[in-house]
């Protein structure tokens, strides 16, 4: 499976951004801008995931890096308490990796 070139990636990023109604990281809920958001593959390319829209989410750089090629559902569950705390305006819980 061929990787997207820079122009394809930029167009996809812009398309996802414009369809996104909540300007926050998919995982931790941190605020993101069009320039700080990264495209993250739910199922990593190294695990057979593709570049189709259903496999991509907008995330902050720290979450994208931390998840790496790990399991999408497990990482999402790991970050859920942080996302919930952010939405409630509560202090962020400490989450051990």
């Amino acid at each position: 499976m061929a990787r997207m070139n820079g122009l394809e990636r930029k167009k996809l990023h812009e398309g996802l951004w414009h369809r996104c109604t909540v300007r926050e990281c998919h995982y931790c809920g941190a605020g993101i801008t069009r320039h700080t958001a990264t495209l993250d593959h739910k199922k990593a390319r190294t695990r057979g995931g593709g570049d189709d829209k259903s496999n991509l989410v907008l995330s902050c750089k720290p979450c994208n890096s931390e998840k790496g090629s790990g399991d999408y559902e497990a990482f999402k569950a790991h970050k859920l308490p942080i996302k919930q705390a952010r939405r409630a305006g509560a202090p962020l819980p400490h989450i051990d990796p």
Side-chain angles (χ1 to χ4, degrees):
M1 184 180 310
R3 282 193 173 275
M4 288 185 284
N5 66 38
L7 182 58
E8 291 170 324
R9 187 169 189 77
K10 183 176 181 178
K11 287 172 96 174
L12 186 57
H13 186 278
E14 288 294 316
L16 284 174
W17 178 258
H18 289 295
R19 282 191 302 282
C20 179
T21 57
V22 179
R23 305 292 199 226
E24 65 181 28
C25 173
H26 180 76
Y27 301 110
C28 73
I32 54 176
T33 69
R34 191 166 76 201
H35 303 288
T36 63
T38 63
L39 287 176
D40 185 48
H41 292 82
K42 292 180 187 180
K43 182 176 183 181
R45 290 179 50 84
T46 57
R47 294 179 176 222
D51 292 327
D52 55 298
K53 294 174 192 170
S54 64
N55 190 45
L56 296 169
V57 296
L58 293 173
S59 69
C60 65
K61 289 178 185 179
C63 280
N64 193 336
S65 295
E66 185 181 341
K67 178 184 158 282
S69 62
D71 181 73
Y72 167 74
E73 292 296 336
F75 187 73
K76 188 175 164 185
H78 168 71
K79 290 293 183 171
L80 184 60
I82 295 172
K83 188 173 188 174
Q84 290 171 332
R86 275 202 170 100
R87 285 186 173 169
L92 297 181
H94 174 72
I95 304 293
D96 290 319

